[in-house]
Amino acid sequence: MKKILKLSSIAFLLFAGVACENDDQKIIQGKDAAELLAPVNGATYVLLPENAASEMTTFVWNHAEYTQQTSSNYEVQAAVAGTDFADPISLGSTQGIKFLKLTVEEMNGKMLTAGFTPYSEAELDVRVKSSLGDNQEIVSYSNVITLKITPYSTELPKMYVVGNFLNSGGYGSDWTPANAVPIASSGFGETDFEGYVYFNQASFEYKFLPTNTGWDGDYGDNGDFAGVLVQTGESNCVGTGAGYYRVKADTDALTYSITPTDWGIVGAATPGGWDNSTALTYNASTKKWTGVVTLTAGEFKFRANNAWTINLGGDPDGDGSMNYDGPNLSVGAGGTYNVELDLSNPRAYTYSVTAQ
């Protein structure tokens, strides 16, 4: 009889323990998804580089609700309008925080990475994804709003010069688009391409490519060799005289030209004053014009062909490139300097003057 009582007591305790354990394991379920409150549906944004650090907008939503109070994960997602978020872009994530601020630069970067075209308005659907825990469980989505956003680009559009000079000029294999030399326009939507190319051959041939990934849409000469571009029935452009050339092409006017250049430094700080340039030497390995020059304290500029037709000075517009006919440069103390002029990046021309 005592043994039976003991067994009954043990069974009761086991049952009670299991019951208590099951009471503690409460199942959490989603009740209501987050609601996206701001910005307003249909808001329009034109992003500008001068406002890069400014706030574009703040996405605000209320908390998603679950059957038990807990901290939620949130991700603001965007997608091309009308695609039902088939390929969503993550605009940012928070944990337990129900807002996300984005600067103009941040939003612009996300749009360019996703492949949206600069200066072309895009319609984006935006929603908030809610979930719990590291495993992103119990996922729900907010309402959807649509925004109209126009991104920008700070990268200048480029064309590429390809030909039989690439190997001898130190660029790579001849007639290979991937090794073609870039030239750049003055701005997005502009067609005035320019850059510098080392044609290191007595006679050379070349063409212009819209991209450096293939031959589609290539430009050549119309056959008269008078600086006229065509895309159908074109001939290779030709040139004679090895050297470092300023190359121009306009895909609207359909014109092109090349001008040989030999660069030097000129000015009150230089041995030749303002009348005679001190010659620099082109280095095909570094793609820079260099020279060791004795300078005095004073002003100077860089110019081609010992003349003022093509000259480069300071950068008053702050775009990171020396300007043609720009303001004088200066050196503060006399001495021996290593002078370098780098024209290898189209429309991003730079220099250095380093004391030896």
Side-chain angles (χ1 to χ4, degrees):
M1 184 68 174
K2 289 182 180 179
K3 289 182 180 180
I4 295 173
L5 286 174
K6 286 182 180 179
L7 289 172
S8 299
S9 299
I10 291 171
F12 175 78
L13 290 173
L14 288 172
F15 174 80
V18 170
C20 291
E21 184 177 343
N22 288 338
D23 285 344
D24 290 339
Q25 293 180 343
K26 295 183 178 180
I27 298 174
I28 302 174
Q29 295 178 323
K31 293 175 61 181
D32 293 304
E35 181 183 5
L36 185 55
L37 305 174
V40 298
N41 184 54
T44 299
Y45 302 89
V46 178
L47 309 183
L48 298 172
E50 55 265 33
N51 300 329
S54 302
E55 178 183 336
M56 187 204 85
T57 192
T58 298
F59 296 95
V60 181
W61 58 91
N62 61 14
H63 281 298
E65 292 188 13
Y66 296 89
T67 53
Q68 183 171 329
Q69 187 174 6
T70 184
S71 179
S72 304
N73 306 312
Y74 297 107
E75 180 186 25
V76 180
Q77 296 181 332
V80 175
T83 62
D84 198 26
F85 291 87
D87 189 17
I89 308 162
S90 178
L91 300 184
S93 302
T94 70
Q95 187 171 37
I97 298 173
K98 52 184 180 179
F99 67 88
L100 176 71
K101 182 175 76 172
L102 286 181
T103 66
V104 168
E105 184 176 35
E106 289 170 337
M107 187 64 192
N108 192 71
K110 291 179 181 296
M111 292 191 68
L112 294 183
T113 300
F116 289 95
T117 303
Y119 306 104
S120 179
E121 184 180 80
E123 288 195 2
L124 294 179
D125 287 340
V126 181
R127 69 184 181 185
V128 177
K129 174 185 176 182
S130 307
S131 62
L132 292 179
D134 295 336
N135 295 325
Q136 305 280 306
E137 297 173 336
I138 315 180
V139 173
S140 63
Y141 297 97
S142 74
N143 57 310
V144 176
I145 63 171
T146 301
L147 305 178
K148 298 179 180 180
I149 305 177
T150 303
Y152 63 86
S153 175
T154 57
E155 182 176 348
L156 298 177
K158 292 182 175 62
M159 288 185 70
Y160 299 86
V161 185
V162 67
N164 68 349
F165 64 90
L166 292 174
N167 183 55
S168 61
Y171 298 110
S173 300
D174 290 342
W175 295 108
T176 303
N179 298 327
V181 185
I183 59 177
S185 75
S186 60
F188 197 88
E190 302 297 331
T191 61
D192 55 342
F193 294 88
E194 181 208 271
Y196 288 87
V197 179
Y198 186 38
F199 294 110
N200 189 27
Q201 289 189 186
S203 298
F204 50 88
E205 298 183 7
Y206 59 99
K207 297 182 81 171
F208 297 91
L209 302 176
T211 73
N212 63 349
T213 59
W215 287 91
D216 290 347
D218 60 311
Y219 291 84
D221 193 273
N222 71 344
D224 293 336
F225 303 102
V228 178
L229 287 175
V230 293
Q231 289 181 289
T232 302
E234 72 278 4
S235 302
N236 293 339
C237 304
V238 297
T240 57
Y244 192 81
Y245 286 77
R246 183 187 188 188
V247 178
K248 291 184 175 183
D250 192 313
T251 55
D252 185 26
L254 293 176
T255 59
Y256 74 97
S257 66
I258 60 173
T259 303
T261 61
D262 283 295
W263 285 86
I265 184 172
V266 65
T270 71
W274 288 106
D275 296 322
N276 293 292
S277 301
T278 299
L280 301 174
T281 301
Y282 182 68
N283 185 322
S285 297
T286 64
K287 296 181 172 55
K288 297 178 182 179
W289 288 86
T290 64
V292 176
V293 184
T294 300
L295 301 176
T296 59
E299 296 183 333
F300 65 93
K301 297 182 77 172
F302 294 90
R303 68 178 186 176
N305 306 328
N306 201 28
W308 289 106
T309 305
I310 305 174
N311 71 88
L312 288 168
D315 177 24
D317 52 10
D319 65 354
S321 177
M322 303 168 70
N323 284 14
Y324 289 111
D325 302 314
N328 294 342
L329 307 166
S330 64
V331 62
T336 301
Y337 290 84
N338 183 53
V339 178
E340 292 187 334
L341 176 65
D342 188 351
L343 307 177
S344 63
N345 297 311
R347 295 190 187 272
Y349 308 134
T350 61
Y351 79 97
S352 65
V353 176
T354 308
Q356 299 300 289

